[in-house]
Amino acid sequence: MADPTAHDPTRQSLWRPLRLLQASMDADIAQVYSEQRIDGLKPSYVMELLRLHDCGPMTIAELAESVRRTHSALSQKVAAMREAGWVRTVVGDDARTRKVTLTDKARSIVDRLAAEWRATEAAVAELEAEIPYPLSQVVADIERALERKSFHDRITEKLAQDPAWG
């Protein structure tokens, strides 16, 4: 039988288990929201909602910097959060700027979201205590390794060795 990874390299992935784990954990958080009848809230919105609650209205650029995301990615997320009724945009300090602010719907649940965030962090800490090498340590170790040589450089070195890259 032929090796299925020979023609489709996506059949083998070191990153996929981590992505699937995070998706599964996010689905569990979403289930908590559903059980509490918090409809239309995605776990990926919570950091931005809590940051806006703590800091007040911000431009997309300010919010993106605050949560360490790109302007483009956050602009898309804000559009989705606006469509779901969690945020709105208002005129900023001058007529040329727009600021993102929480809606009444978001303000009504922000204390519950903060409680969920604390509970989630406590659950992750509990999980990390059960395993021999915590994920937070893995992340820190990978970050240090990437300071020595970037992921970009590692990829381009591998591509230079692959004749299919040309």
Side-chain angles (χ1 to χ4, degrees), residues 84-142:
W86 299 111
V87 299
R88 61 189 177 94
T89 52
V90 296
V91 175
D93 300 332
D94 63 56
R96 296 173 299 169
T97 61
R98 306 283 291 164
K99 292 210 172 194
V100 180
T101 188
L102 297 177
T103 61
D104 289 342
K105 175 182 170 180
R107 276 191 286 280
S108 74
I109 64 160
V110 77
D111 290 337
R112 293 167 72 196
L113 297 182
E116 176 272 310
W117 188 278
R118 290 187 298 270
T120 297
E121 288 294 313
V124 169
E126 181 180 280
L127 279 169
E128 286 201 340
E130 292 180 29
I131 59 176
Y133 198 73
L135 185 57
S136 59
Q137 184 62 51
V138 172
V139 170
D141 291 346
I142 290 173

Side-chain angles (χ1 to χ4, degrees), residues 30-50:
Q31 182 180 347
V32 169
Y33 300 152
S34 178
E35 290 166 353
Q36 291 296 307
R37 293 181 174 79
I38 304 173
D39 298 321
L41 180 65
K42 293 184 179 182
S44 62
Y45 297 168
V46 174
M47 180 184 289
E48 288 80 3
L49 295 175
L50 290 174

